[in-house]
DNA sequence: CGATCGTTTGAGGTTCCTCAACAAGTGTGG
DNA sequence: CCACACTTGTTGAGGAACCTCAAACGATCG
């Protein structure tokens, strides 16, 4: 009975699905573009004429709030499909966060038409959407954590699970502390302090400020796991 | 350029989509069941053999965390489809929260097969999934709010937008303060205090503890809106 | 070399959580 | 019908966690 609950925390199954390419019929509609660091892939309120997929690199999906805060809605990694099903205009901005980020662009209308004629494409899109829903639900549980140290701990585990299995315990964070703070909805200083505290507890080692080695996975999840 | 951003806050378009019935081909697979208050519709880790839709009443989708807290993942209202695309077992429990809650149950396998043969069903399911994603993203922005009073304010607006348009300014909350607290990831006392404060500011009137009249919508959204 | 950015640490103030008490409403059994 | 327990909602007091402001340091870049 724990097989599924394990999936909640260690989304290996999901990773496989997200990482793989889309059906050939859809891939041949794609055009690939290259983005510099900080360069927007699209902006909030731009007409949503395309769907996108990260090929290499990483990006952040974010929104500016009225109080001046920036909320990062998601970090996008290779294989992630985004900008999908958003009505007439994009609800968020998406910007590359590391150099050499390449993005595949799919014309929305043509994909929608394709989905109605090609059963396989339709099924794949539904599956992708369902996976997004699961990831969003996990993110909601993360944001719902009350303590900053639990948020940061869960974040590190999320990043570890999303990176390649080979380097599961050494995470190279592509984003700054500011990005992490806006993702977790806490202050930058609090992120820094939480990392320091996790280091002092022996849960992690900071090889550099952007490279984290996870020593004690259990300590990171402390109080963050689902009860059985 | 504000058409879309308005949709972010006042999801009228979404409501219409969610409220309407699914295609006839899918509806005829459904069986309707009745649930008492507090009765589970399904439990966390139950095999996910069915999809569900609320016909009348309301329900809460929740998860128990290791620290004993209960996180409510979503409130489900008439028309809402749930339990969809969850792998082999349900990730959350769903319980009715008011008497006379009726739920339609769709056999998952048969719906999936149907979606591959019936283009209309497939399209409708994708649309539903995309709508869920938009709602989840809105919920994420809600949880990302830093102040309790903003969370409660946004919550009231969310509930107002999800109830019938006729009663848009008078919201009958089907859930207790405890449910609201677990939904917003704050303490019950904080929910109560935030409502009192909103009442004192003249933003709302409490006709009874469960019936809220929204007087000043702007005051509820204070600092919660997206910047343009 | 100065400027800027990213990261870390400290000090003080604010918000929220915890514990506690109380009031009102609901159901139950004598 | 009333006494009682229980649930639900509200309010107060004290303490913990986090945010804000400030400063310092290293790295990168022009």
């Amino acid at each position: 009975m724990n097989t599924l609950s394990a999936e909640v925390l260690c989304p290996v199954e999901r990773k496989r699905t997200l990482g793989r390419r889309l059906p050939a019929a859809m891939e041949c509609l794609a055009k690939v573009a290259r983005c510099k660091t900080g360069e927007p892939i699209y902006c909030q309120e731009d007409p949503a004429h395309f769907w996108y997929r990260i090929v290499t690199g990483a990006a952040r999906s974010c929104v500016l709030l009225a109080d001046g805060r920036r909320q990062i809605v998601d970090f996008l990694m290779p294989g992630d499909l985004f900008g999908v099903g958003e009505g007439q205009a994009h609800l968020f901005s998406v910007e590359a966060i590391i150099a050499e980020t390449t993005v595949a662009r799919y014309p929305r209308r043509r994909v929608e038409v394709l989905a109605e004629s090609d059963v396989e494409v339709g099924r794949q899109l539904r599956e992708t959407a369902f996976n997004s829903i699961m990831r969003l639900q996990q993110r909601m549980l993360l944001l719902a954590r009350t303590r900053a140290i639990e948020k940061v701990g869960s974040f590190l585990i999320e990043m570890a699970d999303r990176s390649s299995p080979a380097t599961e315990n050494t995470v190279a964070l592509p984003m700054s502390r500011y990005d992490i703070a806006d993702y977790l909805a806490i202050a930058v200083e609090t992120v820094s302090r939480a990392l320091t505290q996790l280091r002092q507890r022996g849960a992690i080692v900071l090889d550099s400020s952007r490279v984290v080695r996870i020593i004690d996975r259990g300590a990171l999840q402390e109080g963050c796991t689902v009860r059985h």
Side-chain angles (χ1 to χ4, degrees), chain A residues 39-175:
Chain A
E39 191 179 345
I41 296 166
Y42 59 75
C43 291
Q44 204 170 329
E45 304 184 355
D46 276 357
H49 292 152
F50 298 93
W51 293 356
Y52 301 84
R53 196 170 57 91
I54 301 281
V55 180
T56 63
R60 61 177 172 232
S61 164
C62 56
V63 64
L64 278 177
L65 302 173
D67 59 4
R69 272 199 326 123
R70 177 189 65 165
Q71 178 61 39
I72 292 185
V73 177
D74 203 0
F75 288 118
L76 301 162
M77 312 291 237
D80 289 351
L81 192 68
F82 60 98
V84 173
E86 288 198 17
Q88 299 179 337
H90 288 298
L91 300 173
F92 310 110
S93 302
V94 175
E95 305 158 4
I97 49 178
I98 61 179
E100 298 304 300
T101 296
T102 51
V103 178
R105 205 179 69 172
Y106 307 84
R108 176 180 166 177
R109 275 270 151 265
R110 296 182 64 184
V111 173
E112 281 174 348
V113 169
L114 182 62
E116 308 225 346
S117 61
D118 186 325
V119 171
E120 176 60 21
V121 171
R123 201 187 51 74
Q124 183 79 42
L125 283 181
R126 276 194 302 281
E127 221 168 81
T128 304
F130 291 158
N131 284 325
S132 294
I133 290 174
M134 283 205 281
R135 265 199 50 221
L136 277 166
Q137 285 171 335
Q138 291 311 311
R139 283 226 48 213
M140 266 187 33
L141 292 183
L142 198 167
L143 275 176
R145 300 305 321 172
T146 52
R147 294 186 203 297
I149 200 166
E150 297 174 1
K151 286 189 179 184
V152 174
S154 309
F155 169 75
L156 290 177
I157 288 179
E158 185 193 335
M159 284 300 130
D161 288 340
R162 290 180 76 178
S163 66
S164 70
T167 62
E168 223 167 45
N169 287 324
T170 303
V171 194
L173 300 172
M175 71 290 286

